Amino acid sequence: MPMLVRWMGDDPAMTKEDRLGIFIRKLLSHSPLSADDQQAIRDLPFNIRRLEANEHILREGEKATVCPVLLQGYAYRQKTSADGGRQIVALKIPGDALDFQSLYVETADHSLQALTPVELAVFSIKDFEKLVAPRPNLARAVLVDILIEASIGREWLLNIGRRNALARLAHLLCEIFYRVQQIAREDVSGFELPLTQEQLADLLGLTPVHINRTIKLLEDAGAVRRISRRLTIGDLGILRQMADFSDLYLHRNTVSPV
């Protein structure tokens, strides 16, 4: 499997434990962690798992036994209706724990799937629970991460329910840009969004045809550039204006170690 853009995880030539740097940076972006807490994360046993695009990481109804963290690629959480309709309810980027809620809720009420080829650091839930239990700052970091994901979910609900198609897509692009910027170690102004029009439709509650028309409007305004099936940010200021975007709900408050 070819390696992806460099910001998507630390250098694969690093030691296995050092690859967790992107996960630790994500936690530090919202919660204070001591050097000892950070080292404890690196010392926790884990396996590297690689999956191709569209492979399942977790299926609805399964009992989770592991806590996967995304090191490379994109993944998404989805719900499926009785007639087979799909709604993408969360988008995961490198550094994200894919299912912290399974530390506390045994049975999955959603499915997790790889959007692109992905690389995961897979921890045992029992091992992660033992790590967190005596460390209040780590426990708080897990809780804050879950709360921020809930905050993003509320914004997505507002996006689908109350914004027009142009604002919906512009808002999503702004969000992804700021989430990527939060954990990247390099300029991400030209990063590509790997979502297809069909996937954007399932995420934004629109049809693929409507998505195509909306992308064309963003292109004409200079807000995005489209190369083949990939989108890159053209002018973030225009996107922010179209979406009336505020990043308050992302709680991007980088903090120092304790």
Side-chain angles (χ1 to χ4, degrees), residues 79-190:
K79 296 282 290 183
T80 306
S81 63
D83 63 2
R86 178 179 69 172
Q87 182 68 42
I88 294 175
V89 297
L91 183 65
K92 294 295 191 174
I93 68 171
D96 285 343
L98 295 187
D99 198 34
F100 264 159
Q101 75 173 47
S102 288
L103 293 172
Y104 310 105
V105 181
E106 190 175 70
T107 303
D109 56 26
H110 57 272
S111 295
L112 281 167
Q113 205 162 344
L115 175 64
T116 65
V118 298
E119 183 175 86
L120 309 173
V122 181
F123 301 91
S124 159
I125 282 182
K126 290 183 178 179
D127 285 344
F128 210 91
E129 287 177 331
K130 289 178 183 177
L131 171 74
V132 169
R135 295 177 177 274
N137 285 326
L138 265 178
R140 180 186 182 278
V142 169
L143 176 60
V144 170
D145 208 77
I146 292 171
L147 292 174
I148 291 174
E149 184 170 24
S151 176
I152 291 172
R154 289 190 291 273
E155 193 70 26
W156 280 32
L157 184 61
L158 175 65
N159 208 30
I160 292 174
R162 291 298 176 183
R163 295 187 177 110
N164 62 36
L166 191 65
R168 283 187 213 182
L169 182 52
H171 198 280
L172 175 68
L173 294 175
C174 287
E175 176 189 306
I176 296 172
F177 176 86
Y178 283 110
R179 287 173 62 192
V180 168
Q181 185 187 60
Q182 187 173 353
I183 48 83
R185 281 180 162 173
E186 60 189 60
D187 179 20
V188 297
S189 57

Side-chain angles (χ1 to χ4, degrees), residues 146-247:
I146 292 171
L147 292 174
I148 291 174
E149 184 170 24
S151 176
I152 291 172
R154 289 190 291 273
E155 193 70 26
W156 280 32
L157 184 61
L158 175 65
N159 208 30
I160 292 174
R162 291 298 176 183
R163 295 187 177 110
N164 62 36
L166 191 65
R168 283 187 213 182
L169 182 52
H171 198 280
L172 175 68
L173 294 175
C174 287
E175 176 189 306
I176 296 172
F177 176 86
Y178 283 110
R179 287 173 62 192
V180 168
Q181 185 187 60
Q182 187 173 353
I183 48 83
R185 281 180 162 173
E186 60 189 60
D187 179 20
V188 297
S189 57
F191 84 96
E192 294 182 348
L193 182 69
L195 289 156
T196 66
Q197 291 182 22
E198 291 78 12
Q199 290 162 340
L200 283 169
D202 287 344
L203 193 158
L204 293 173
L206 300 166
T207 66
V209 172
H210 204 165
I211 290 290
N212 187 52
R213 289 200 298 263
T214 305
I215 291 173
K216 184 65 168 61
L217 291 173
L218 291 177
E219 281 187 289
D220 291 345
V224 300
R225 295 187 295 271
R226 178 163 43 178
I227 302 173
S228 184
R229 300 174 72 184
R230 303 290 178 127
L231 290 179
T232 62
I233 304 296
D235 190 315
L236 183 64
I238 293 175
L239 279 177
R240 285 182 60 97
Q241 185 176 18
M242 287 178 165
D244 191 22
F245 186 81
S246 166
D247 67 349

Side-chain angles (χ1 to χ4, degrees), residues 26 34 56 78 165 239:
K26 168 63 188 303
S34 68
H56 274 83
Q78 66 176 25
L239 279 177

